[in-house]
Amino acid sequence: MYGKKQSELLDGTIFCSSVHGGLRLQKQKTLASRVSYDGIGLHSGRPVHMELAPAPPGSGILFARADLPDVPPVAATAAHVTATVRATTIGAGALKFFTIEHLMSALHVHGIDNCRVMLDAEEPPVADGSARAFFELITRAGSIEQDAVRQETVIDRIYRVDNGGHFIMALPYDGLRVSFTSLNEHPLIGVQYYDIKVSPSAYEREIAPARTIAYEKEIAALRAHGLGLGGSLETVIVYNDEGWMNPLNFPNELVRHKILDVIGDIRLAGMVRGHIIAVASGHALNTALAKEIAGERDQA
């Protein structure tokens, strides 16, 4: 079930432990300059202008509506997650923002603590369905250290959240590492596994170009529910029973994109330092883990 409060060792032993977020004497970082990007939303299909701007120390990642300047922004934290159907949605008060995970993933790997994300719609642009455009945008903006100490979320025990045969867990690790096993019944995909020690260079090369994937037979149902309206062969990899409808960036692009999503979703618990291991996890499990980690950190 979601939110399992016990901890489990790799050999199956159960134990309980107190935990707190650790401090490392690093400086917080924000963007060195403003940058912008125009596109359409993956699910809304609506045009959107996005601007990433520097933010003061301690701000965190804030999502705001440029066309609603009097409405307070929404902090990208686990506590503000409101939905996880095909994307991660955050909301507070009158505002909500969905499909934030690709941008959050790129911000996480770049080590950006504080940033103001200005949008004139509810959803960031999809670009090509990956995080590559966002990673390059942040690279172009550059980053600067701020006069404040970063409080990392240091995983110092084992967290685990289960849902049937699917699970995600976090273990102590000196750095950020993600190991993911995806399970897909379609013979074209099957079981895929990938493991990466996350660094900006490794992420840029191995994870950022991995795009969102959809099964052709599911598209009509998604659109009937108001999802995937901005999807096309330019923004999503599509497969059917005959094969792939557009070229892949990697033979195992699906599992790499799953890792991209994990990195974005887990950023909702802060700047995480640990090893994330997942089997067939999606946004619901990812954000449930982020909530559990962030909840214990807040209580420390």
Side-chain angles (χ1 to χ4, degrees):
M1 63 183 292
Y2 288 169
K4 183 157 78 173
K5 298 305 290 185
Q6 290 176 316
S7 299
E8 186 171 343
L9 291 174
L10 298 180
D11 63 1
T13 303
I14 302 294
F15 74 101
C16 294
S17 171
S18 61
V19 67
H20 62 276
L23 284 173
R24 288 174 176 261
L25 297 180
Q26 300 178 13
K27 295 291 188 179
Q28 293 182 26
K29 289 168 58 178
T30 190
L31 302 182
S33 63
R34 292 174 176 256
V35 284
S36 62
Y37 191 92
D38 293 292
I40 62 169
L42 172 61
H43 291 299
S44 67
R46 296 172 184 162
V48 57
H49 175 76
M50 179 181 76
E51 182 177 276
L52 306 181
S59 299
I61 309 300
L62 299 173
F63 282 75
R65 287 288 294 267
D67 55 332
L68 300 172
D70 296 330
V71 180
V74 180
T77 63
H80 286 146
V81 173
T82 60
T84 54
V85 178
R86 296 282 178 161
T88 296
T89 300
I90 58 171
L95 288 190
K96 70 173 182 178
F97 298 93
F98 51 97
T99 324
I100 67 167
E101 59 271 12
H102 301 170
L103 175 59
M104 291 294 293
S105 186
L107 288 166
H108 194 177
V109 176
H110 267 293
I112 301 300
D113 298 273
N114 307 302
C115 176
R116 192 174 183 91
V117 181
M118 301 292 294
L119 302 168
D120 59 5
E122 291 181 323
E123 186 180 27
V126 62
D128 69 348
S130 75
R132 177 162 47 191
F134 301 140
F135 190 87
E136 293 173 350
L137 192 67
I138 298 165
T139 300
R140 189 165 77 243
S143 64
I144 55 172
E145 288 190 346
Q146 298 175 287
D147 190 20
V149 173
R150 169 184 292 167
Q151 184 178 4
E152 288 189 307
T153 300
V154 179
I155 304 301
D156 61 1
R157 59 98 156 165
I158 299 176
Y159 297 83
R160 176 166 170 157
V161 184
D162 291 77
N163 182 21
H166 304 184
F167 73 83
I168 186 168
M169 59 194 300
L171 298 81
Y173 181 79
D174 189 16
L176 178 60
R177 179 177 179 180
V178 183
S179 306
F180 200 106
T181 302
S182 67
L183 307 175
N184 191 300
E185 296 180 354
H186 196 286
L188 185 67
I189 300 175
V191 177
Q192 295 183 2
Y193 172 80
Y194 199 71
D195 170 79
I196 185 168
K197 297 176 182 178
V198 181
S199 67
S201 59
Y203 179 90
E204 181 179 25
R205 183 177 62 252
E206 306 293 343
I207 301 299
R211 297 161 292 173
T212 298
I213 293 178
Y215 184 35
E216 186 182 27
K217 290 183 177 179
E218 296 178 336
I219 293 175
L222 287 172
R223 288 180 172 169
H225 288 87
L227 299 171
L229 301 179
S232 70
L233 293 181
E234 284 71 49
T235 59
V236 178
I237 303 171
V238 181
Y239 67 97
N240 56 30
D241 293 338
E242 284 70 52
W244 297 100
M245 298 179 64
N246 38 4
L248 296 175
N249 287 338
F250 308 99
N252 60 348
E253 193 158 355
L254 184 149
V255 72
R256 292 175 189 244
H257 186 82
K258 290 288 189 179
I259 290 174
L260 186 158
D261 284 344
V262 166
I263 294 170
D265 286 338
I266 208 70
R267 176 62 178 83
L268 297 167
M271 200 73 75
V272 172
R273 177 174 290 266
H275 185 182
I276 311 300
I277 300 174
V279 173
S281 181
H283 297 299
L285 279 176
N286 297 348
T287 56
L289 179 67
K291 287 181 179 182
E292 188 168 322
I293 294 170
E296 290 203 4
R297 176 182 176 176
D298 291 344
Q299 293 169 16

